[in-house]
Amino acid sequence: MGCFMPITVRWDGGVSVEYGGSRLIFDPQRESGSYRYVFITHAHYDHSKGFSFKGSEKASTEETKKIVSLYGRKISGWRPLPVGGRVEVDDLEVVAHNAGHVLGSTLYEVITPEGNVVYTGDFQFKDTFTVRAAEPISCDILVVDSTFGSPSFVFPDREELAHEMVE
Ligand SMILES: [Zn+2]
């Protein structure tokens, strides 16, 4: 009989995924020395604070790191994780997928022996003027970022707005 280990997904100042002895955190808001690996979805300030943390290894796309560097933030212990790239952490594998939100944005899939977890960060299923749409990913556990998920947010049509701006 195999040994079942639960996947634990919780808010711990960021989206934390634990499996066995492995602990990963995505878009953390506050520093915690207990995570060796920090994954950052995109350069917007509410998602990229983890770049400033000391003692953790950070992963993001090259574009995300470059944008954050332009704000003058010092970044150490960074490794590139391009769209389509994968990194293994013990029994886990983290895959970066295009999130369709802004230049360099990713959503992350964590593959465990018991199933996969997807954390979206900010994402979009429509092409924009600057980035391609995200593709759906089949998963066992989905954590959706919903900054603009409230029905109170209704945005004007992109094309119409662009025409108004040009006029
Ligand atoms: Zn954003």
Side-chain angles (χ1 to χ4, degrees):
M1 222 172 95
C3 174
F4 173 81
M5 283 191 284
I7 304 167
T8 305
V9 179
R10 64 191 171 99
W11 178 255
D12 187 19
V15 174
S16 161
V17 177
E18 296 176 38
Y19 177 81
S22 310
R23 306 176 76 223
L24 312 174
I25 195 150
F26 297 85
D27 289 355
Q29 303 289 305
R30 58 175 161 72
E31 189 148 12
S32 159
S34 61
Y35 293 94
R36 258 175 68 209
Y37 300 97
V38 168
F39 292 84
I40 294 157
T41 58
H42 65 286
H44 286 156
Y45 186 70
D46 54 332
H47 290 262
S48 62
K49 289 177 188 156
F51 275 121
S52 309
F53 298 177
K54 293 172 187 77
S56 310
E57 199 172 322
K58 298 101 185 166
S60 75
T61 60
E62 182 102 41
E63 294 89 340
T64 294
K65 187 229 181 193
K66 278 187 180 163
I67 295 166
V68 170
S69 302
L70 289 173
Y71 304 154
R73 286 161 73 189
K74 296 267 172 287
I75 297 168
S76 61
W78 171 80
R79 70 153 81 173
L81 185 53
V83 167
R86 319 175 155 249
V87 58
E88 277 181 31
V89 181
D90 309 319
D91 289 338
L92 307 179
E93 188 174 25
V94 181
V95 186
H97 298 268
N98 170 41
H101 175 53
V102 291
L103 179 67
S105 66
T106 53
L107 48 86
Y108 289 111
E109 176 185 15
V110 183
I111 301 169
T112 84
E114 308 292 344
N116 68 341
V117 180
V118 168
Y119 167 57
T120 64
D122 293 331
F123 66 103
Q124 163 123 281
F125 284 131
K126 282 184 193 160
D127 288 344
T128 71
F129 293 117
T130 55
V131 287
R132 285 254 166 255
E135 303 274 341
I137 300 163
S138 134
C139 62
D140 299 295
I141 300 172
L142 176 65
V143 182
V144 178
D145 218 296
S146 57
T147 310
F148 298 107
S150 163
S152 66
F153 289 109
V154 178
F155 295 104
D157 180 79
R158 207 173 279 272
E159 297 286 332
E160 279 174 31
L161 193 64
H163 280 293
E164 274 175 38
M165 288 167 78
V166 170
E167 280 163 20

